[in-house]
Amino acid sequence: MNGRACEAIAAGRAFSFGEIDVAFGEGRVTLTGPRPGRAPRTLDATVEALRRHVRFDDRGRYRPLSGARTLPGGWRITLPARLAGAALEAVYPLAALHQAQAAAGTLRVAPFAETAARQRGRYRAAGELDAAGRDLARATLCGGCARTPVWAGESASAEAIPCPEACGPLLALCREAARWRAEPPPPAPPDGGVPFAAFETPGNELRETLLLSLSRAPSAMARG
Ligand code: SF4
């Protein structure tokens, strides 16, 4: 593979990836999370410990979106250098592969309409959201994600993590927004204790942000 992250790992060269910094030395790799401060906590030296640690944000909320810029802060982990790829995968699944595929021109990118049309059950309603509402939903969720939504036409640099298709949380947010277009619920004060993807729950931070944006944007029922 020839993505920037894979090249850096092969060369033992330091690089940044999403919210983490990666450095090499003496046959080992060290990953440092955001806001390391002067004395970051050292995690147990296993990929599984890293995987467990990044599952929850600083408030203890489960992270259903691996790319969300909500990684817990103040930590680092040192592993044998041969585990660098597995460590990246634990934090950002498929990201190095997608980056390499984008560099090779083989990344398969699916437009929103195609992804929405594949959905079954409740998620199918995501495709009913008008284009303006979808753009606002994307800005709300993808704007806080370490991946770049190339499926929406954004261009990703060689160092970026390209996102080839709309993820589950975005489809869920679009599904809710389609309902809100028909019957806007009243706003509620943002509550950082509400789970990240509980978009049906008043106070969910993303819900309240998007509701405000939708209230300022005209509805267009035509699908784009
Ligand atoms: S669709 Fe947006 S929020 Fe979801 S993974 Fe891709 S870039 Fe991130």
Side-chain angles (χ1 to χ4, degrees):
M1 292 197 293
N2 57 352
R4 287 292 166 86
C6 297
E7 288 173 357
I9 288 173
R13 195 170 59 230
F15 65 104
S16 295
F17 201 64
E19 285 193 285
I20 58 176
D21 292 321
V22 183
F24 294 86
E26 299 176 357
R28 306 181 82 72
V29 59
T30 296
L31 277 69
T32 305
R35 305 175 300 285
R38 289 192 178 175
R41 174 183 163 197
T42 299
L43 305 184
D44 290 347
T46 67
V47 172
E48 184 50 34
L50 174 60
R51 187 176 291 114
R52 276 199 310 272
H53 189 67
V54 300
R55 240 176 239 161
F56 300 91
D57 67 14
D58 278 330
R59 292 172 175 146
R61 295 183 304 179
Y62 176 65
R63 299 179 63 250
L65 180 63
S66 63
R69 292 186 177 279
T70 59
L71 277 179
W75 58 269
R76 74 175 159 213
I77 185 169
T78 299
L79 299 161
R82 64 182 165 74
L83 295 179
L88 276 197
E89 189 70 13
V91 182
Y92 295 117
L94 298 178
L97 174 65
H98 288 160
Q99 191 188 68
Q101 289 175 334
T106 59
L107 182 67
R108 188 180 181 287
V109 176
F112 184 90
E114 180 185 321
T115 308
R118 279 204 313 266
Q119 306 308 307
R120 295 286 172 267
R122 297 172 68 214
Y123 283 90
R124 211 165 163 81
E128 293 169 10
L129 180 62
D130 60 277
R134 188 197 318 149
D135 285 347
L136 292 172
R138 173 167 54 85
T140 301
L141 192 64
C142 304
C145 183
R147 302 180 201 251
T148 302
V150 294
W151 59 264
E154 287 192 26
S155 59
S157 70
E159 290 76 23
I161 305 172
C163 170
E165 67 174 49
C167 63
L170 182 61
L171 290 165
L173 187 59
C174 288
R175 178 194 67 205
E176 294 303 311
R179 291 198 306 120
W180 301 338
R181 277 299 208 199
E183 200 172 337
D191 178 352
V194 176
F196 179 88
F199 305 132
E200 342 68 84
T201 305
N204 171 274
E205 291 170 322
L206 293 162
R207 168 193 170 101
E208 300 306 330
T209 298
L210 182 53
L211 277 173
L212 185 61
S213 301
L214 290 170
S215 72
R216 293 170 173 161
S219 174
M221 295 314 293
R223 294 182 198 180

